[in-house]
Amino acid sequence: MVLRWNDVKLALIVALILGLLALAGLGVQAIGGQPPPNQEPPGLPPPAHPDRPARGLSAPTVSLSWTPQVVRDIVAASNTAGLPAILLLSIAAQEGGLVGPPFPAGDNNTSFGPFQIHVPAHGGNAVYWQNVYNSVNEMAPRWRYYYTIYGNGTTWERDPAGFLVTAQPSMQGSIGLSRGVAQVNVDVARRAYAAVFPQTPPPPAPPA
């Protein structure tokens, strides 16, 4: 079969377009796109809510109050985990809240603690996950992974609410949240931190 020059040119153009599309996909992931689940590194803890279905944007049910000792524990645990204290306080404000223990049970009485750890996926029990340090130690590898994927401290420091909208569903395995709800979470986290540590500003975001 004799190939005509026009056929060759068309094949080259198609190959070029396909190559550019592949590179574009890699670029999206490199600047903060969520990788498919099968690309998560081995050994990464499962999300806090692996069986929670997508139900649209979460409602602004965040509590506007806090227990000082819970705030102290989350801040201390965040330092050990190498993640921003306000980030973890914001996630907890959306999940189990900052008032406890005990924290409300979620997902039909299967998720517990300030970060709503899902017992069928993580083991343990309601009492175990009420403990801030147990919850943070369990989830920290997953949180750090997606903290890196979504731009490290640069993205978080520049736009905390935007970071939560983009990253929290992957970090927690929870449903999406609107920017307004995310901003309320950040505001509550900042106010709680300032109330408990009035003389100490939050430390800058650590590098991943």
Side-chain angles (χ1 to χ4, degrees):
M1 181 178 63
V2 178
L3 292 176
R4 293 175 296 179
W5 175 237
N6 286 340
D7 293 333
V8 174
K9 286 194 295 184
L10 179 60
L12 290 173
I13 291 171
V14 171
L16 179 60
I17 291 173
L18 292 175
L20 290 174
L21 289 174
L23 288 174
L26 291 173
V28 169
Q29 180 172 326
I31 63 174
Q34 179 183 349
N38 61 5
Q39 290 188 17
E40 291 184 351
L44 200 68
H49 312 290
D51 300 321
R52 176 179 287 180
R55 297 192 298 266
L57 298 179
S58 57
T61 56
V62 60
S63 171
L64 301 181
S65 57
W66 51 83
T67 301
Q69 189 57 51
V70 171
V71 176
R72 293 188 192 99
D73 289 345
I74 291 178
V75 170
S78 72
N79 293 334
T80 302
L83 291 164
I86 301 299
L87 171 58
L88 267 60
L89 288 168
S90 299
I91 293 174
Q94 175 67 28
E95 294 288 342
L98 299 174
V99 178
F103 300 91
D107 297 317
N108 296 316
N109 206 39
T110 59
S111 298
F112 305 98
F115 298 101
Q116 293 291 282
I117 306 301
H118 194 55
V119 167
H122 295 265
N125 54 47
V127 174
Y128 185 80
W129 298 121
Q130 298 292 329
N131 183 283
V132 167
Y133 296 96
N134 292 342
S135 297
V136 172
N137 288 341
E138 175 73 8
M139 296 301 297
R142 182 178 189 87
W143 290 339
R144 283 195 299 265
Y145 174 73
Y146 281 106
Y147 181 70
T148 301
I149 287 290
Y150 289 106
N152 294 332
T154 302
T155 305
W156 163 254
E157 291 286 351
R158 184 179 66 246
D159 183 9
F163 179 89
L164 290 175
V165 169
T166 304
Q168 186 167 331
S170 297
M171 296 174 78
Q172 282 291 106
S174 55
I175 59 177
L177 66 166
S178 70
R179 185 177 183 86
V181 171
Q183 188 61 60
V184 170
N185 293 334
V186 173
D187 291 344
V188 170
R190 286 172 170 163
R191 290 185 339 196
Y193 184 97
V196 177
F197 301 97
Q199 305 300 322
T200 307

